[in-house]
Amino acid sequence: MAITLVNPAGLPEIDVYRQVSVASGTRLVFVAGQVAWDAEGATVGAGDLAAQVEQCYVNVGTALAAAGATFADVAKLNVHVVDWTPDKMPLLLDGIARASARLGVTPAALATLLGVAALDVPEHLVEVEATAVVD
């Protein structure tokens, strides 16, 4: 495996991501920000943050697979949420859990969560991008 995820002593342990990733692979895979579109381009879960997070992670999984990668190869995720406030965390975590169940994996790579004013279209509430490293 090209990615080793670490929670070093002295930093908090977070359930849904790790603090450090060490990459040793030879190919980089960059996945564009994925929004809650299905294969036909229709928005999934309009107004439902958890449903949109789930779809975004599933879309990232699909994109990774097309490049010969999986979530085990992800070195870094960036998550952009419209009008982020901490009270939305349970919805975000629910969406990740639902995606994990669908995908059969638990995405645990480093993650940066950013609040944004807007995304590409008003109905999109979240966007997830990934960087992976594969052998």
Side-chain angles (χ1 to χ4, degrees):
M1 206 174 289
I3 301 295
T4 302
L5 300 175
V6 180
N7 274 324
L11 293 177
E13 243 182 75
I14 309 297
D15 289 339
V16 295
Y17 71 92
R18 302 299 176 264
Q19 298 287 359
V20 176
S21 71
V22 179
S24 60
T26 57
R27 284 190 313 126
L28 294 175
V29 177
F30 299 94
V31 176
Q34 296 298 304
V35 293
W37 277 330
D38 64 14
E40 288 74 43
T43 297
V44 173
D48 182 342
L49 180 60
Q52 289 201 16
V53 169
E54 177 184 4
Q55 186 65 43
C56 289
Y57 274 78
V58 167
N59 289 351
V60 168
T62 300
L64 289 168
T70 70
F71 272 100
D73 301 308
V74 173
K76 180 83 166 68
L77 293 168
N78 290 320
V79 180
H80 303 86
V81 182
V82 174
D83 297 326
W84 174 257
T85 55
D87 63 308
K88 293 180 181 177
M89 185 61 80
L91 295 171
L92 180 78
L93 295 176
D94 181 45
I96 294 170
R98 288 161 44 177
S100 296
R102 280 179 64 186
L103 295 165
V105 299
T106 301
L110 279 66
T112 298
L113 174 62
L114 299 167
V116 297
L119 292 170
D120 59 330
V121 295
E123 59 267 18
H124 288 157
L125 305 175
V126 63
E127 183 170 329
V128 180
E129 63 182 295
T131 301
V133 180
V134 291
D135 289 322

